[in-house]
Amino acid sequence: MAGVRPAGVLAHLYRPGVLRTLVSTTRNVFVADYQHHRFALATPQVVELQGMRSVTSP
């Protein structure tokens, strides 16, 4: 593999509810620009693998 590049995260999305509570709207959705999403709780990071080659066993 030649390299790895961050592509985004899987996240749980929320929306503001009554009395400053957060209400879950979606779970495990891909979010590319999670740093600018105010109501996303990131779970695992998603990466793009670059330059992968097949390896054969002798």
Side-chain angles (χ1 to χ4, degrees):
M1 184 167 56
V4 176
R5 184 180 70 99
V9 295
L10 290 181
H12 302 323
L13 300 182
Y14 296 86
R15 65 173 171 77
V18 180
L19 300 175
R20 296 187 177 196
T21 61
L22 293 177
V23 177
S24 177
T25 59
T26 311
R27 297 179 63 82
N28 290 328
V29 63
F30 177 75
V31 178
D33 192 12
Y34 67 94
Q35 293 176 340
H36 294 99
H37 198 296
R38 291 181 53 197
F39 300 107
L41 174 63
T43 50
Q45 182 178 22
V46 177
V47 295
E48 178 182 310
L49 305 177
Q50 301 167 339
M52 291 182 63
R53 290 188 230 163
S54 177
V55 177
T56 58
S57 299

